[in-house]
Amino acid sequence: MASRQGGGAARADDWLLLAGRLLIAALFLGGAAQKALEPGQVAGLLAGWRLPGGLVWAALAYNAAAGAALALGLAVRPVALSLAAYCGLTSFFHLIPSDPWQMTIFVKNWAIAGGCLALAVAGAGRIAWRRGPRAAHEKGRPAGRPFRRWICRLRAATSPSRPRPRR
């Protein structure tokens, strides 16, 4: 799982990003498991908002996929942005001012959204599973498609940290 972006050894902040990603991923993977084991609870919550109970399965799939992506470090920025929006949206299911427990969950959802926004800014860090054209570029190899190869060459030629290739 741990390939290194741009070479070099992982630093302490890379390990902290990994820890943060794994902790947030655990929340969503745990949420997926909870929905799988007790879908009736979430279906009841959805019914209270006049939404179809079948949405529990879409939420389960999203939670599982997004949690796995964060854990592996795949597409962290867009996944984290979508999770921040998801947390903001789902927080309103718990906006019940007369119930302190539900209000705590409401606030926690916004705190998790903040952590996801921080991940969206920071990205995966150096300790992440890398695949595709970006990974190929980071390892100094051209990517598979001609346009992407051209982009990788352009980035390599204009990167201040790398010497320009001679032709």
Side-chain angles (χ1 to χ4, degrees), residues 94-108:
H94 304 283
L95 182 57
I96 306 169
S98 62
D99 185 345
W101 183 254
Q102 293 298 318
M103 290 307 295
T104 299
I105 296 171
F106 174 82
V107 172
K108 283 182 182 181

Coordinates of all heavy atoms in Angstrom, one line a residue, residues 94-108:
H94 N -30.0 15.1 12.4 CA -29.8 15.1 13.9 C -30.1 16.4 14.5 O -29.8 16.6 15.7 CB -28.4 14.6 14.2 CG -28.1 13.3 13.6 ND1 -28.5 12.1 14.2 CD2 -27.3 12.9 12.5 CE1 -28.1 11.1 13.4 NE2 -27.4 11.6 12.4
L95 N -30.6 17.3 13.7 CA -30.9 18.7 14.3 C -32.2 18.7 15.0 O -33.2 19.0 14.5 CB -30.9 19.7 13.1 CG -31.1 21.2 13.5 CD1 -30.1 21.6 14.5 CD2 -31.1 22.0 12.3
I96 N -32.1 18.2 16.3 CA -33.2 18.2 17.2 C -32.8 18.9 18.4 O -32.3 18.3 19.4 CB -33.6 16.7 17.4 CG1 -33.8 15.9 16.1 CG2 -34.9 16.6 18.3 CD1 -34.0 14.5 16.3
P97 N -33.0 20.2 18.5 CA -32.5 21.0 19.7 C -33.0 20.5 21.0 O -32.3 20.7 22.0 CB -33.1 22.4 19.4 CG -33.2 22.4 17.9 CD -33.6 21.1 17.5
S98 N -34.2 19.8 21.1 CA -34.7 19.3 22.4 C -34.0 18.1 22.9 O -34.1 17.7 24.0 CB -36.2 19.1 22.3 OG -36.4 18.1 21.3
D99 N -33.1 17.5 22.0 CA -32.4 16.2 22.3 C -30.9 16.4 22.3 O -30.3 16.5 21.3 CB -32.8 15.1 21.3 CG -32.2 13.8 21.7 OD1 -31.3 13.7 22.5 OD2 -32.7 12.8 21.0
P100 N -30.3 16.6 23.6 CA -28.9 16.8 23.6 C -28.0 15.8 22.9 O -27.0 16.1 22.4 CB -28.6 16.9 25.1 CG -29.9 17.0 25.8 CD -30.9 16.5 24.9
W101 N -28.4 14.6 22.9 CA -27.7 13.5 22.3 C -27.6 13.7 20.8 O -26.6 13.6 20.2 CB -28.3 12.1 22.6 CG -27.5 11.0 22.1 CD1 -27.9 10.2 21.0 CD2 -26.3 10.5 22.5 NE1 -26.9 9.3 20.7 CE2 -25.9 9.4 21.7 CE3 -25.4 10.8 23.5 CZ2 -24.8 8.7 21.8 CZ3 -24.2 10.1 23.7 CH2 -23.9 9.0 22.8
Q102 N -28.8 14.0 20.2 CA -28.8 14.3 18.7 C -28.1 15.6 18.4 O -27.4 15.6 17.3 CB -30.3 14.4 18.3 CG -31.0 13.1 18.3 CD -30.4 12.0 17.4 OE1 -30.1 12.3 16.3 NE2 -30.4 10.8 18.0
M103 N -28.1 16.5 19.3 CA -27.3 17.8 19.0 C -25.8 17.5 19.0 O -25.1 18.1 18.3 CB -27.7 18.9 20.0 CG -29.1 19.4 19.7 SD -29.4 19.9 18.0 CE -28.3 21.3 17.9
T104 N -25.4 16.6 19.9 CA -24.0 16.2 19.9 C -23.6 15.6 18.6 O -22.5 15.9 18.0 CB -23.7 15.3 21.1 OG1 -24.0 15.9 22.3 CG2 -22.3 14.8 21.1
I105 N -24.4 14.7 18.1 CA -24.2 14.1 16.8 C -24.2 15.1 15.7 O -23.3 15.1 14.8 CB -25.2 12.9 16.5 CG1 -25.1 11.8 17.6 CG2 -25.0 12.4 15.1 CD1 -26.2 10.8 17.5
F106 N -25.1 16.1 15.8 CA -25.1 17.2 14.8 C -23.8 17.9 14.7 O -23.2 18.1 13.7 CB -26.2 18.1 15.1 CG -26.3 19.4 14.3 CD1 -26.9 19.3 13.1 CD2 -25.8 20.6 14.8 CE1 -27.0 20.5 12.3 CE2 -25.8 21.7 14.0 CZ -26.4 21.7 12.7
V107 N -23.3 18.3 15.9 CA -22.0 19.0 16.0 C -20.8 18.1 15.6 O -19.9 18.6 14.9 CB -21.8 19.6 17.4 CG1 -20.4 20.1 17.6 CG2 -22.8 20.6 17.7
K108 N -20.8 16.8 15.9 CA -19.8 15.9 15.5 C -19.7 15.8 14.0 O -18.6 15.7 13.4 CB -19.9 14.6 16.2 CG -19.5 14.5 17.6 CD -19.7 13.1 18.2 CE -19.3 13.1 19.7 NZ -19.4 11.7 20.2

